[in-house]
Amino acid sequence: MTAFTELMAHQRSTEALSLVAERLGWDQETMMPRGAAEQRAEELAAMEQVLHARRTDPRLAEWIAKAEAPDAAAERAIALIAHALRRNGAVPASLAEELARTTSLAQGIWAEARAKNDVGHFLPMLKRVVALRREEGQAMAAAGIGGGDAYDALIDGYEPGATAASLAAMFAAMRPRLVALREAVLGAPAPKALAGSFPAAGQLALARRAASAFGYDWTRGRLDLAVHPFSSGGVNDSRITTRVVETDPFNCLYSTIHEVGHSSYELAIDAAHHFTPLGHGVSMGVHESQSRIYENQLGRSRAFAGWLLTQMQAEFGALGVADADAFYATLNRVQQGFIRTEADELQYNLHVMLRFDLERALIGGRLDVADIEEAWNARFLSDFGFAVDVPANGVLQDVHWSVGAIGYFATYSLGNVYAGCLNQAMRRDLPDLDASLATGDARPATDWLCAKVQRFGSLYTPAEVITRACGEAPSEAPLLDYLETKFRALYNL
């Protein structure tokens, strides 16, 4: 065997084991009995011990040095393995194992705290998670990851090439237009809200039809319930979850469509890349571009809204809206709310900015975990103009910090920016797209996204894949222009 074939054989098994570990995480949040939490923590810690040993195997450096890439894809794969080796090699095995154990336990404690609205129940574990992630970030920064900055090193794990400074600059460019538009919209008469009770069985049936409309492959996926919706897996097994609130069918429906975007990305990657470093989404920003464009530019479009209205009426009866135009306005209603995942397109990024600034301060040591609820509530009041009522609507609403996903939140907004660019290019290439969406067929759009983005996996860098798809470098301008056009028309501004 050549050095290259030995390297890729080793990587194939590592990728497969990583998917097994991910499946354990999926089970923990969907099927696992509550009493198994400590056992699962040990199982995940043991898996991380095995994975960390493989990812830091001394032979990797030797193989990388000797490997001769047969083509550009192989060259990219070698570069990704080398970068991962730098990251993983900087982190002691004991730290990696303890992070896996702690975050597994923390997820269950967070869920209990959220259900009880008891921040104090979660804070000791959050303090431990933040300390471990800070230690991990500092270890990687010392090895040159993230330019030597601990928070940038953590960001690198989700969005290679991004930094806190670049993301802060993006937010600074976005905030003035978003705030001004929000003030104008909230000062105008609001569309009627949907009212009533919508049984869980009907919501899940509708969610399945919507997933099928977006081409979700049920032979390689499934839909389950979770406290916080997520997708999990890859290659030929990528699963989605949703949640049900009987007074809010849009919550279940659009959580499902969002996760279909993530899952479809994984399932669309060229089979030649399976079980290689190219065989999964290139970054969480690009991943979020797929989930957000499915959910918003497609799923909340006027054309798709017309089809969705007929489906909801068939499932639930009369909805109390006058016609398809009124339903479209209701579907895109801008309103005050606490929850990021339920936020309208206009205000969503403001929720992300809050989290980005707080976690940056946590990792930088400028904010103590003991003060996180007070800091969250003060910032929320300042940004949104009303006070958080209960912790489940505030600092306890997101699962991310419990599972150690610090450095992740900004990728939601980066995904929105990428989605704005992709939507502009897609609409240019598919002038008749709305005709298909009006019949509940999103396949022309999803086929375009597959051809332009999804099938490449990690073959290109995040900026490269968006630039290749759109013909120009990513910018926040298309997203802001789209939001201005959409909401000024909806609110007659």
Side-chain angles (χ1 to χ4, degrees), residues 205-280:
L206 182 61
R208 284 183 164 274
R209 289 203 295 278
S212 295
F214 280 86
Y216 187 56
D217 186 349
W218 293 105
T219 69
R220 298 189 290 160
R222 56 179 288 143
L223 174 65
D224 294 278
L225 294 174
V227 174
H228 190 111
F230 68 99
S231 65
S232 176
V235 184
N236 289 311
D237 183 353
S238 183
R239 309 173 186 194
I240 60 174
T241 63
T242 192
R243 63 183 171 204
V244 172
V245 178
E246 294 210 347
T247 57
D248 181 12
F250 294 149
N251 190 316
C252 174
L253 178 67
Y254 284 95
S255 290
T256 303
I257 294 174
H258 179 100
E259 300 307 335
V260 165
H262 281 304
S263 194
S264 295
Y265 184 5
E266 292 295 324
L267 294 174
I269 294 171
D270 192 319
H273 301 327
H274 288 174
F275 299 108
T276 78
L278 309 183
H280 37 76

Side-chain angles (χ1 to χ4, degrees), residues 354 376-388:
L354 178 154
W376 179 294
N377 291 347
R379 174 64 183 269
F380 188 89
L381 179 61
S382 174
D383 282 4
F384 293 92
F386 59 101
V388 172

Side-chain angles (χ1 to χ4, degrees), residues 423-462:
N423 182 60
Q424 179 177 267
M426 180 175 64
R427 293 286 180 170
R428 182 180 62 233
D429 290 351
L430 303 175
D432 298 325
L433 175 58
D434 282 341
S436 295
L437 291 174
T439 68
D441 181 8
R443 286 177 299 177
T446 57
D447 286 350
W448 188 93
L449 290 166
C450 175
K452 297 289 187 177
V453 176
Q454 296 171 1
R455 67 187 177 96
F456 298 116
S458 294
L459 181 60
Y460 304 110
T461 68

Side-chain angles (χ1 to χ4, degrees), residues 354-402:
L354 178 154
R355 291 153 176 79
F356 169 74
D357 288 338
L358 291 181
E359 67 177 24
R360 189 180 181 186
L362 282 171
I363 296 300
R366 300 184 301 279
L367 174 64
D368 291 333
V369 170
D371 300 323
I372 188 63
E373 182 182 21
E374 180 182 356
W376 179 294
N377 291 347
R379 174 64 183 269
F380 188 89
L381 179 61
S382 174
D383 282 4
F384 293 92
F386 59 101
V388 172
D389 54 355
V390 294
N393 286 333
V395 72
L396 291 179
Q397 69 178 267
D398 294 301
V399 71
H400 300 65
W401 290 342
S402 73

